[in-house]
Amino acid sequence: MSDLALFRRRLLKNPRQVSAIAPSSRTLARAMTLGLGPKSGPVVEFGPGTGRFTEAILARGVPPENLTLFELDEEFVGYLQQKFPGVTVHQQPAQDAARLVSPGVGTVISGLPLLSMPPEVREGIVGAAFQILAPRGHYVQFTYGPRPPLPPETIAALGLTVNKGHKVWANLPPATVYRFRRG
Ligand SMILES: C[S@@+](CC[C@H](N)C(=O)[O-])C[C@H]1O[C@@H](n2cnc3c(N)ncnc32)[C@H](O)[C@@H]1O
């Protein structure tokens, strides 16, 4: 089964959780993984789906043993385990990352539909990301909308610095990548 067919099937099964009409494009995946390389240290990905960002992270030279994924959907988890040997895949919510990953992570790449989540879930996810990130680590998140993918109060409460990337038009729908780190 193709990535698109699997994605669509899981979307129909659980539309609120998957919350996108198709996997992200390779162009968006390259923008999300900009700056990653063999020396990036541990990398964690939230909501990999069929693994479009996972492929790009590995293509940047991050060793599979340095990559940990958090995905809720059991079919995606089975697919990711087969497709990416050596990568750690947890069928656990991203909110639980701090229970399973030691602090000192260089980058968290998030493919989660953050803005469509209830505020307490969103805050749990971003809080977990900054619990495991190293002091200079980055949280990378895309959004389809015109505003940052985190509300101003969350950015202020966590004391984050925001870097807005260019718009990626080659994606359905077009998306913008934001990088957050502690200020
Ligand atoms: C919009 S899809 C993105 C998939 C992929 N990153 C991409 O860009 O093609 C969101 C993914 O996040 C997963 N997901 C949703 N909530 C989650 C959570 N709390 N923890 C981990 N994964 C979650 C969904 O099952 C789905 O695979």
Side-chain angles (χ1 to χ4, degrees):
M1 184 187 296
S2 72
D3 280 11
L4 181 60
L6 174 61
F7 197 93
R8 287 271 163 87
R9 201 150 62 76
R10 302 315 289 167
L11 173 66
L12 288 176
K13 175 97 184 154
N14 202 341
R16 287 185 62 193
Q17 186 179 297
V18 175
S19 204
I21 51 172
S24 297
S25 69
R26 291 196 165 80
T27 312
L28 179 58
R30 277 195 296 275
M32 287 289 288
T33 56
L34 206 65
L36 287 181
K39 300 209 165 84
S40 295
V43 175
V44 169
E45 184 185 354
F46 290 168
T50 53
R52 192 44 69 75
F53 297 163
T54 318
E55 279 164 10
I57 294 166
L58 296 171
R60 295 272 184 197
V62 172
E65 60 274 18
N66 277 6
L67 180 56
T68 303
L69 316 180
F70 285 84
E71 170 56 59
L72 281 181
D73 183 277
E74 63 174 339
E75 273 205 46
F76 284 153
V77 167
Y79 184 71
L80 293 161
Q81 282 167 334
Q82 277 197 340
K83 195 170 172 186
F84 303 111
V87 171
T88 302
V89 188
H90 293 296
Q91 190 186 348
Q92 296 289 336
Q95 304 83 301
D96 286 0
R99 205 167 45 75
L100 295 159
V101 176
S102 306
V105 168
T107 307
V108 173
I109 302 280
S110 168
L112 296 173
L114 214 54
L115 282 181
S116 59
M117 291 174 161
E120 64 280 8
V121 175
R122 184 169 59 224
E123 277 157 30
I125 288 168
V126 180
F130 279 95
Q131 267 181 277
I132 59 172
L133 276 167
R136 313 256 336 138
H138 283 95
Y139 177 80
V140 187
Q141 173 77 55
F142 72 90
T143 184
Y144 303 129
R147 287 192 298 278
L150 289 180
E153 56 275 19
T154 307
I155 295 174
L158 291 169
L160 304 181
T161 302
V162 188
N163 180 272
K164 182 182 176 190
H166 61 277
K167 188 137 190 156
V168 177
W169 291 100
N171 193 68
L172 195 65
T176 306
V177 176
Y178 285 76
R179 301 168 72 82
F180 298 88
R181 65 175 178 79
R182 292 185 184 91

